[in-house]
Amino acid sequence: QVQLVESGGGLVQPGGSLRLSCAASGSIFGMYRVGWYRQAPGKQRELVASITTGGSTNYTDSVKGRFTISRDNAKNTVYLQMSILKPEDTAVYYCKANTVLKDYWGQGTQVTVSS
């Protein structure tokens, strides 16, 4: 079984930065893909960024150049570094891990960008 716990959300001003963490209860080596999703009120959930075991990354256009996804295998953690935050980045952010047998979701962490 895999359990994911997100952390790092909070309230920041426009232009500020936050780093989100997605910590797994076990090794992340079995997770061939981990993605960060977000869902704002009244909006559909969207994939923000993803990373594979090979280190390949993908980003949605709206965050390219501002967000960076990374992993630390020793800590069983995937990060989302968010910079130059905008009000439209406000959402609940979720991590999702794909394994061979099952997909896992975290419970989400709130990110609010407001002055």
Side-chain angles (χ1 to χ4, degrees), residues 1-16:
Q1 300 86 7
V2 174
Q3 292 181 332
L4 305 177
V5 179
E6 299 108 327
S7 62
L11 174 65
V12 297
Q13 294 184 330

Side-chain angles (χ1 to χ4, degrees), residues 34-64:
V34 177
W36 281 98
Y37 294 74
R38 68 185 180 188
Q39 187 164 25
K43 301 292 185 179
Q44 291 186 309
R45 186 173 298 187
E46 65 172 339
L47 176 63
V48 177
S50 65
I51 188 168
T52 69
T53 55
S56 298
T57 58
N58 285 286
Y59 301 91
T60 191
D61 287 342
S62 63
V63 308
K64 287 181 179 177

